[in-house]
Amino acid sequence: MALFDNESVNLPALRKKAYNYRWAEVEEDVIPLTAADPDFPVAREIPEAIVEYVEDGYFSYTPKLGLPSFREAIARHLREQKGEEISPELVLPIDSAARGMYVIAQTVLSPGDEAIVFDPVDYLFKNAVLAAGGVPVFFPTKVRDGRVDFSGLEQYITPKTRMICLCNPHNPLGKVYPREDLELILSLSERYDLWIMNDEIWSDIILGETPFLSILSLGAERNRRTLSVYGFSKAYGVAGLRIGAIYCTDGEVFRRILDTSGVLTTAGGISSLSQVAGTACLDKARYWTEAFLEHLRGNCAYAVERINKMPLLSTTAPEATYLLWIDIRETGMTNTGFVEWMKQEARLALVAGSETMFGPGGAGFVRLCFATSREILKEGLDRLEKGILLLKDRF
């Protein structure tokens, strides 16, 4: 059995375990192409590492800053796979990249501070800013000639601005930023003394020919005010283990992160099992991710071709992520109305580009996840086509 064929998808297990808009939360005849979570079991080395760790029956406290082996594995991965020179001493394992975003916002923002949030983007940026008492300021990410147009970004900076939120690669647009755009963002950070929240959770899922480039590659000293998060759920399928990390280039900034995170007491931290699993991901499961990428590239090309042949819909191939951002504006429906229509009439679940999920810029779009088998994806797209044809008949 191949790693990513239809037989490897265990639907009974998914219907028990896959939550967050997925198989465990929809009716049995609904196909959920929803949350960014693979339908495939993880690399066998990951559960094997967990089993080996627990066999002696001890679940003791771990070092407050995380297992040294895990911190070293993360730093090595960042260096070898992304060209980021980060000391293991400046890596903090934490319970998910999402939690890391909250810690970063709470570390650098005071109540009333503004943070620029690209729009649309994953809701965690806005929510992290709000949780810190900050004010999200939405910058519209208009794509022109295949790139986000940043020509007006500086105009959104005010005396209250303290942070720019960077999602690289971008969810849901699937864009990988070129050096010129990263240079612009970093230069604005330097000019106005701004922090950068740099989310790189999608940096292992590169589908196109454009390579991932981290803003940290522009120099450690220039990135002293850049605070980054990395996670394991997208590239290794371990969302339920909540494995993430915060890292930076400056020791004093790192100490501020530690104070905010709660890891120096027993109130914060990441479980020992998650750290063991995360180390196995980086040291033993890269082959799984590479094979997964090949499968995703085929699924992506198939889905884009099919959707662009359907009436009233259009999409573009993402450079990264396993998500399609589908333009539904020709239907005349709201994104929430469209999602409800597809669920009721075609038994297909999608994610609405609602303001709650992605900001005001999500209006007129829905998101589809293609991290599943080709057979399930085909059935899902068949249902999408059925639903759109039923909708077209109403015009």
Side-chain angles (χ1 to χ4, degrees):
M1 182 171 65
L3 287 172
F4 302 106
D5 62 13
N6 197 54
E7 287 68 32
S8 66
V9 177
N10 186 339
L11 287 179
L14 287 169
R15 289 194 173 104
K16 291 179 180 179
K17 297 181 177 181
Y19 288 85
N20 195 25
Y21 306 106
R22 302 189 66 237
W23 297 95
E25 293 186 354
V26 299
E27 296 172 313
E28 193 161 324
D29 65 334
V30 173
I31 290 180
L33 302 180
T34 49
D37 195 18
D39 279 345
F40 303 102
V42 303
R44 59 182 176 80
E45 289 84 356
I46 298 171
E48 286 175 356
I50 294 174
V51 170
E52 181 181 354
Y53 181 82
V54 305
E55 279 182 334
D56 60 14
Y58 285 95
F59 297 88
S60 301
Y61 289 109
T62 61
K64 291 181 173 62
L65 273 63
L67 295 170
S69 57
F70 187 37
R71 300 173 76 191
E72 291 165 4
I74 293 171
R76 183 170 58 251
H77 178 72
L78 295 174
R79 182 180 65 255
E80 294 178 353
Q81 299 296 325
K82 309 176 197 304
E84 303 177 33
E85 293 293 339
I86 302 294
S87 167
E89 299 301 313
L90 299 179
V91 173
L92 176 66
I94 199 162
D95 56 330
S96 78
R99 171 64 178 149
M101 294 166 71
Y102 275 60
V103 169
I104 289 172
Q106 290 163 1
T107 298
V108 303
L109 296 180
S110 298
D113 285 347
E114 293 179 354
I116 295 176
V117 176
F118 298 166
D119 177 36
V121 77
D122 185 273
Y123 67 96
L124 286 167
F125 287 93
K126 174 189 69 176
N127 288 2
V129 171
L130 291 172
V135 179
V137 175
F138 295 103
F139 170 74
T141 51
K142 304 298 183 183
V143 177
R144 292 185 174 87
D145 299 323
R147 286 176 54 178
V148 175
D149 181 3
F150 284 115
S151 59
L153 179 59
E154 188 170 7
Q155 299 171 20
Y156 283 74
I157 299 174
T158 76
K160 292 184 178 181
T161 307
R162 292 292 178 270
M163 185 169 72
I164 298 175
C165 299
L166 175 62
C167 183
N168 184 25
H170 188 281
N171 167 21
L173 300 182
K175 292 297 178 183
V176 176
Y177 295 104
R179 178 176 293 274
E180 295 86 346
D181 292 345
L182 297 175
E183 177 66 45
L184 171 63
I185 293 168
L186 188 55
S187 295
L188 291 175
S189 168
E190 293 172 316
R191 187 179 311 157
Y192 294 97
D193 205 24
L194 305 178
W195 299 95
I196 296 175
M197 178 193 290
N198 175 42
D199 171 20
E200 297 188 354
I201 194 172
W202 284 104
S203 57
D204 290 309
I205 307 296
I206 305 301
L207 304 181
E209 296 181 357
T210 304
F212 169 74
L213 183 67
S214 172
I215 196 168
L216 292 165
S217 68
L218 300 181
E221 182 58 32
R222 294 188 66 193
N223 278 280
R224 191 185 67 80
R225 295 174 66 84
T226 299
L227 285 69
S228 301
V229 294
Y230 176 72
F232 291 68
S233 59
K234 310 311 177 189
Y236 300 98
V238 291
L241 289 172
R242 301 186 61 81
I243 315 171
I246 307 174
Y247 51 99
C248 63
T249 65
D250 183 271
E252 179 56 36
V253 173
F254 188 72
R255 283 187 286 275
R256 292 179 60 183
I257 291 171
L258 293 181
D259 290 340
T260 305
S261 69
V263 300
L264 297 179
T265 72
T266 54
I270 176 175
S271 82
S272 56
L273 299 186
S274 295
Q275 295 183 72
V276 168
T279 305
C281 288
L282 299 177
D283 290 349
K284 300 178 180 179
R286 188 68 194 174
Y287 75 93
W288 187 96
T289 303
E290 294 295 341
F292 186 36
L293 286 171
E294 286 305 308
H295 174 75
L296 291 173
R297 292 181 181 114
N299 271 7
C300 180
Y302 171 73
V304 169
E305 181 179 12
R306 284 208 54 188
I307 290 170
N308 283 333
K309 288 180 179 178
M310 297 179 192
L312 308 178
L313 302 180
S314 64
T315 192
T316 57
E319 297 169 328
T321 80
Y322 35 76
L323 309 167
L324 293 183
W325 193 233
I326 304 173
D327 189 336
I328 65 163
R329 286 174 290 186
E330 285 191 35
T331 68
M333 300 183 74
T334 64
N335 44 45
T336 53
F338 183 88
V339 165
E340 186 60 28
W341 170 271
M342 284 296 164
K343 190 172 183 180
Q344 295 303 320
E345 301 296 328
R347 311 308 284 163
L348 172 68
L350 302 168
V351 174
S354 64
E355 185 168 353
T356 300
M357 294 295 292
F358 298 103
F365 290 83
V366 297
R367 200 187 72 177
L368 177 151
C369 175
F370 54 87
T372 188
S373 70
R374 180 63 61 87
E375 288 82 352
I376 292 174
L377 178 60
K378 179 182 182 303
E379 176 61 25
L381 293 173
D382 288 346
R383 296 185 184 196
L384 179 63
E385 187 169 22
K386 171 189 173 183
I388 203 67
L389 291 175
L390 287 172
L391 185 61
K392 187 173 180 289
D393 289 342
R394 297 176 62 194
F395 281 72

